[in-house]
Amino acid sequence: MARISTYPVDTNITNTDLLLGTDSATGAPTVNYTMADISGKILYRPTITGLGNYANDAAAAVGGVPINGLYHTTGTIKIRLV
């Protein structure tokens, strides 16, 4: 195998591109993973619960949300700035 630095850089990454890795669960020394497999493990939609519903920063402040704290206005997540 050549040095990694000698391979061309692919800037067009697709879900079917392959990466090399090791499967520690099976002991397989070298296996292929698709970008779709990898992205399915590291890209997710976080869930934020318990945010108060306030019309604006002033109302959020009265409700106890600290500066840089999160709140929402009818489902739109916001950060209290003032």
Side-chain angles (χ1 to χ4, degrees):
M1 180 183 281
R3 292 180 182 254
I4 291 175
S5 62
T6 65
Y7 289 99
V9 175
D10 180 2
T11 59
N12 182 26
I13 299 171
T14 66
N15 283 338
T16 57
D17 285 347
L18 298 174
L19 299 172
L20 291 177
T22 301
D23 186 344
S24 62
T26 65
T30 305
V31 294
N32 285 316
Y33 297 100
T34 66
M35 286 301 296
D37 294 334
I38 300 296
S39 67
K41 295 290 184 186
I42 61 173
L43 299 176
Y44 64 96
R45 295 176 186 231
T47 301
I48 301 172
T49 59
L51 296 180
N53 185 14
Y54 302 102
N56 52 41
D57 273 15
V62 171
V65 177
I67 290 179
N68 296 323
L70 297 176
Y71 68 96
H72 77 94
T73 302
T74 317
T76 301
I77 296 175
K78 298 182 176 182
I79 300 171
R80 184 177 157 226
L81 301 176
V82 292

